[in-house]
Amino acid sequence: MKIIENNKVFMIETKSTHYVMAVDCEGVLNHLYWGKPCKAEDYISTYNGWEKNSNHSARELSKTEYITFGGTVYRTNAFSAKYADGCRETLLTYDSHKITQKDNSLLLEIVLKDEPYNLLVTLCYRIREGYDVIERFVKIKNDSGDLIILNKIASGEFNFPSHRPYTSTNANGSWGAEFRMESTELKNGVLSYESKKGGSGHTNNPFFILSQNADEKQGEVYFGALAWSGNFKVELSRDYSGTTRAVIGVNDFDFSYNLKAGEEFVTPSVFCGYTNGFAEMSNQMNSYAVEYILPVRYAKEPLPVLYNSWEATAFDVSCEGQQALAEIAASIGCELFVMDDGWFGERKNDRAGLGDWYVNEKKFPNGLKPLIDRVKELGMKFGLWFEPEMVNPDSDLFRTHPEWTYHYDTRKASLLRNQLVLNLTRYDVKKYVFSCMDNMLSQYDISYIKWDMNRAFSETGAENLENQQELWYRHIKAVYEIADALKAKYKDLQIECCASGGGRADLGSLSHFDMVWTSDNTDPLDRLEIQHGFSLLYPIKCMRAWVTDTNRRKRPNDLDYRFNVSMQGSLSIGGNLLKYTKEELDIHRKYIGLYKSIRKTVQFGRFYRLADFKRDKIYATQYADDEQSVVFICSNANSFFNDKFIHINLAGLDSEQLYEVKYNDNVIKRSGSFLMNAGLDFEFHGPLNSLIITLKRI
Ligand code: DGJ
């Protein structure tokens, strides 16, 4: 790992890639190269500033490192601002740079300046030993005496080397169908993925993956994942000359930001990289996130097996009912009991109560203490659901403070799930939300919060703000600040990020929350696809996966199958345990026990997708650490067409080592090279079949 500057050519060398930029003859920072390492001497700026012709300037065709709106560049830009004199163009040229070393990281900061306006834009690149991941962010400093209005502030612009079209992969999801990945070839024009709803949303996800001839094991893969949970935009473009570029950052939709004299704005980080194949991408991001992105307190601890009450009791919670569930949850091996929605205010259904974060006395006449005491006696920790950003019109909070929601006096407020969004950009609202949660946490022994968020924003008036278009950004910042403040005060608190399932699953939430609720869809077959998408860039341990009574969805599948799917993430239980037979509870006990013996490997091991789940009609994942390895195989079909033999080549083993391989009642011994090269054959009967294979180094 090193960063070298030579004659204003900047070379960032990661574990196995080079990322290179150079200041050109006009002082503009250009991108030179990103990919497998080359000889440093060959990195020379070739931009010559000549006009190409009167319609396509040299600058427009050049690979700029951070293109601003203005001049003769008309393609997608990364930055635009308006200055006090009315000028709306920005011209950034090289000013200075700095390379600093801290622990095992290097940070390159290249300061660019718009001279007449004293605007300093610092492009920052941080690399860490052992990774090809580059963290990029931008600092924007107003060193003038006047207001500068920022209209677009992407976290990075990226240029890709090949002139052949790249394949772009992103989610095309919806509620209950998050992370459904689709790939498309970008031949020309602009392709954008974005959210305008306030949260990062269920539809697209804030990242880009661009690949060429890639599969799990090999091929060119470029990626960048934005650490932002609000409105975002990923703009991929390919121009007529064949250059593919990406711009990623906070969405400029209905956005602007008043950068006052002397102020600085720092964009969210984008974590980007170039790898050989998708498995390498996922593995690097998986362990990088554990090492450097997740909140430190629990990053390296395996997550507990939790029980969540939502699918069992919905809003109908009571002390006795929850205690009864807790008894069984503890008896099957759960370590954390989370009471979901319904415990507060007048919350009988989703039409009332949000905002009134005090215990409903009819449901809990003696408060939550008797329940929490019992949960703790049973040896579990206790967790509680909140939806802090929301209010129902039918609530004491709304009756007292109707002005605390985003609103316009001239518009009727649109309700979604009978609720409105609180204006968290107001200091008093933010303080209220924090104090409600603080009040519960200081009164009760609560180790875990599930932070939910169940609607998109609308009528986004925020008259408290000088520039109301800042609200999209400030709201998410406030969410992060409240979560951070709670964690700072309650050092052992874990927080789960939920937004109607996985509506805010991104590296922004994962910088402040410990895990995410991946989807409200707990059907195991659907879940396989959702989990596949999540696993591309996000850490496996953060993927909460419940085993529930999914036959409610009229697609019966046995408990073994449900467990085999959920054990591929952070195993959790969500069914109505009171209705289960002794045999069913025994199955729970058996798998929870097994999961505890493999969870370190699952949550922290190297991770491989062994099959193409659409093509092969099976979903197979492998988790490996130095001692053991676990493989899950689940058929990805609900028909008897899948009644066949399957063949699997394992990955990530030591070729020279001998392994004891266990599946069903079989125990065999094979070398790592055999398991990876020759592979294993299995008979797979019927639909929704599944298998766990465990391997131990001998
Ligand atoms: C949506 C979440 O995704 C569910 O898990 C549950 O917590 C409900 N909200 C509660 O209202």
Side-chain angles (χ1 to χ4, degrees):
M1 168 178 95
K2 60 180 181 240
I3 298 178
I4 299 172
E5 185 269 340
N6 183 12
N7 210 10
K8 298 203 189 132
V9 175
F10 300 91
M11 189 187 87
I12 300 174
E13 182 175 286
T14 64
K15 186 175 69 125
S16 41
T17 69
H18 279 179
Y19 188 102
V20 193
M21 298 157 276
V23 177
D24 68 25
C25 54
E26 292 169 356
V28 174
L29 185 68
N30 279 331
H31 180 82
L32 285 194
Y33 175 68
W34 188 17
K36 293 187 184 110
C38 309
K39 276 209 172 352
E41 309 84 82
D42 292 336
Y43 297 132
I44 296 164
S45 173
T46 50
Y47 178 82
N48 54 28
W50 294 337
E51 282 299 314
K52 292 299 178 220
N53 66 45
S54 59
N55 284 300
H56 305 286
S57 68
R59 183 60 71 205
E60 178 154 62
L61 290 175
S62 71
K63 294 183 171 182
T64 41
E65 187 58 20
Y66 194 69
I67 194 65
T68 54
F69 169 64
T72 58
V73 179
Y74 308 93
R75 60 183 157 81
T76 306
N77 59 58
F79 182 93
S80 78
K82 186 173 170 187
Y83 302 94
D85 63 359
C87 175
R88 303 183 313 284
E89 298 202 354
T90 300
L91 176 62
L92 297 176
T93 53
Y94 172 83
D95 181 75
S96 60
H97 76 273
K98 188 163 84 181
I99 299 169
T100 36
Q101 184 172 6
K102 199 174 159 214
D103 306 324
N104 63 353
S105 74
L106 284 173
L107 176 67
L108 166 65
E109 292 171 276
I110 307 176
V111 183
L112 309 174
K113 190 169 184 182
D114 192 328
E115 198 65 51
Y117 297 104
N118 274 320
L119 175 79
L120 298 173
V121 173
T122 306
L123 306 188
C124 306
Y125 304 79
R126 184 180 284 125
I127 53 172
R128 322 240 190 203
E129 198 63 71
Y131 288 97
D132 291 313
V133 177
I134 304 175
E135 177 184 358
R136 287 187 61 177
F137 56 99
V138 181
K139 296 194 282 192
I140 301 135
K141 175 98 200 284
N142 178 356
D143 255 355
S144 75
D146 296 311
L147 174 72
I148 297 177
I149 300 173
L150 305 176
N151 290 314
K152 185 171 184 183
I153 34 120
S155 298
E157 177 185 1
F158 297 85
N159 292 265
F160 304 96
S162 175
H163 275 209
R164 278 179 291 120
Y166 285 87
T167 298
S168 161
T169 303
N170 201 289
N172 182 21
S174 58
W175 171 80
E178 298 85 340
F179 289 104
R180 298 199 68 191
M181 306 310 286
E182 278 187 12
S183 294
T184 181
E185 197 175 62
L186 180 62
K187 285 195 175 140
N188 61 61
V190 181
L191 171 64
S192 78
Y193 304 109
E194 63 182 333
S195 164
K196 299 174 178 170
K197 290 181 161 182
S200 47
H202 301 83
T203 311
N204 303 141
N205 208 268
F207 62 68
F208 67 79
I209 299 176
L210 287 174
S211 59
Q212 269 184 359
N213 305 320
D215 57 28
E216 288 294 328
K217 290 185 183 156
Q218 59 77 44
E220 311 258 332
V221 178
Y222 290 92
F223 64 90
L226 185 71
W228 186 242
S229 314
N231 288 355
F232 70 89
K233 187 144 104 179
V234 180
E235 292 165 285
L236 305 172
S237 61
R238 184 166 179 271
D239 69 17
Y240 73 92
S241 75
T243 300
T244 299
R245 300 181 176 86
V247 169
I248 182 168
V250 168
N251 203 338
D252 57 345
F253 159 78
D254 191 38
F255 167 85
S256 65
Y257 190 95
N258 288 3
L259 195 67
K260 300 199 180 115
E263 280 184 356
E264 184 175 66
F265 183 98
V266 182
T267 68
S269 292
V270 52
F271 295 89
C272 58
Y274 164 78
T275 53
N276 187 25
F278 296 116
E280 180 64 15
M281 168 186 83
S282 302
N283 268 313
Q284 287 217 22
M285 284 305 287
N286 196 6
S287 67
Y288 185 95
V290 168
E291 219 37 77
Y292 301 115
I293 297 178
L294 299 180
V296 176
R297 169 69 181 87
Y298 288 104
K300 293 185 181 169
E301 273 186 36
L303 292 185
V305 176
L306 71 70
Y307 177 79
N308 178 292
S309 67
W310 174 245
E311 291 209 12
T313 48
F315 302 98
D316 192 14
V317 293
S318 68
C319 188
E320 297 70 37
Q322 296 296 299
Q323 278 177 344
L325 282 169
E327 308 274 342
I328 311 177
S331 78
I332 56 173
C334 293
E335 298 157 308
L336 169 70
F337 182 87
V338 182
M339 176 160 64
D340 209 281
D341 202 343
W343 58 269
F344 52 89
E346 289 305 313
R347 190 74 167 166
K348 288 186 221 58
N349 47 41
D350 65 13
R351 290 190 290 279
L354 288 177
D356 298 342
W357 300 111
Y358 41 82
V359 180
N360 180 309
E361 284 175 6
K362 278 170 244 129
K363 297 180 183 183
F364 298 91
N366 301 309
L368 295 185
K369 195 164 183 309
L371 171 62
I372 297 178
D373 285 351
R374 185 66 193 129
V375 165
K376 295 200 64 207
E377 261 165 38
L378 291 164
M380 296 185 291
K381 292 189 167 173
F382 181 77
L384 196 59
W385 181 94
F386 285 89
E387 194 174 354
E389 298 154 75
M390 300 290 159
V391 63
N392 285 115
D394 185 0
S395 67
D396 291 345
L397 178 64
F398 189 78
R399 281 182 281 273
T400 323
H401 285 296
E403 77 286 7
W404 275 14
T405 58
Y406 294 117
H407 67 278
Y408 294 117
D409 291 341
T410 52
R411 300 275 179 258
K412 185 170 178 287
S414 310
L415 291 176
L416 290 173
R417 209 195 189 204
N418 310 299
Q419 62 196 54
L420 297 167
V421 187
L422 286 172
N423 178 355
L424 279 194
T425 71
R426 286 176 65 129
Y427 179 71
D428 46 4
V429 178
K430 196 166 91 175
K431 199 166 141 218
Y432 170 81
V433 168
F434 174 82
S435 66
C436 290
M437 298 174 89
D438 183 29
N439 179 37
M440 291 301 293
L441 288 163
S442 57
Q443 223 182 114
Y444 294 112
D445 191 352
I446 298 170
S447 316
Y448 188 98
I449 283 177
K450 178 175 171 190
W451 180 310
D452 205 348
M453 188 272 199
N454 283 304
R455 67 155 289 177
F457 293 21
S458 65
E459 295 86 31
T460 47
E463 57 207 10
N464 55 307
L465 296 177
E466 215 170 274
N467 176 356
Q468 298 197 25
Q469 291 187 309
E470 291 174 11
L471 85 106
W472 304 102
Y473 176 78
R474 289 189 181 277
H475 182 100
I476 299 298
K477 278 293 220 196
V479 169
Y480 293 163
E481 278 160 23
I482 298 170
D484 291 351
L486 291 171
K487 277 172 168 276
K489 183 158 179 191
Y490 302 95
K491 300 270 181 271
D492 293 334
L493 180 69
Q494 293 195 47
I495 316 185
E496 173 181 344
C497 175
C498 170
S500 296
R504 216 153 57 178
D506 51 70
L507 291 183
S509 54
L510 286 173
S511 315
H512 303 271
F513 299 83
D514 302 280
M515 71 218 80
V516 296
W517 175 222
T518 328
S519 178
D520 278 343
N521 183 345
T522 54
D523 175 274
L525 196 45
D526 291 351
R527 197 67 183 213
L528 286 170
E529 195 173 335
I530 294 169
Q531 295 185 175
H532 168 94
F534 186 96
S535 76
L536 288 174
L537 286 167
Y538 299 144
I540 298 292
K541 73 166 286 208
C542 298
M543 186 171 80
R544 275 276 173 216
W546 302 351
V547 171
T548 65
D549 311 333
T550 50
N551 36 5
R552 280 200 319 175
R553 293 175 196 274
K554 304 202 170 27
R555 180 155 60 185
N557 37 67
D558 64 22
L559 264 174
D560 299 284
Y561 190 83
R562 284 179 251 165
F563 268 100
N564 287 355
V565 171
S566 294
M567 284 162 74
Q568 298 178 38
S570 264
L571 177 65
S572 315
I573 308 296
N576 190 348
L577 301 176
L578 296 165
K579 292 200 176 148
Y580 286 170
T581 62
K582 182 181 170 309
E583 289 68 37
E584 286 171 324
L585 291 175
D586 285 343
I587 297 176
H588 276 70
R589 204 169 287 116
K590 176 182 96 180
Y591 280 110
I592 292 173
L594 172 63
Y595 183 74
K596 286 178 182 169
S597 72
I598 56 170
R599 77 172 142 193
K600 233 175 103 229
T601 312
V602 171
Q603 294 189 17
F604 300 100
R606 295 183 301 279
F607 169 68
Y608 303 93
R609 290 169 289 262
L610 301 179
D612 176 330
F613 74 99
K614 281 188 183 145
R615 188 194 59 208
D616 301 338
K617 295 278 191 291
I618 56 162
Y619 188 89
T621 54
Q622 183 182 347
Y623 305 78
D625 58 31
D626 293 341
E627 284 136 44
Q628 64 175 354
S629 198
V630 195
V631 179
F632 297 93
I633 304 176
C634 296
S635 69
N636 176 28
N638 200 6
S639 74
F640 283 89
F641 296 142
N642 206 43
D643 188 7
K644 61 176 185 180
F645 292 95
I646 55 163
H647 178 84
I648 284 283
N649 292 83
L650 304 193
L653 303 174
D654 185 338
S655 306
E656 303 303 316
Q657 275 292 324
L658 195 59
Y659 291 87
E660 182 187 79
V661 184
K662 282 192 190 166
Y663 58 96
N664 296 333
D665 295 327
N666 308 299
V667 183
I668 56 170
K669 285 181 189 154
R670 294 288 187 279
S671 67
S673 55
F674 181 89
L675 294 165
M676 292 192 291
N677 300 329
L680 295 171
D681 290 300
F682 301 98
E683 223 177 317
F684 229 49
H685 286 294
L688 299 174
N689 196 2
S690 63
L691 180 71
I692 300 182
I693 310 167
T694 53
L695 294 95
K696 277 214 168 18
R697 232 173 215 269
I698 297 179

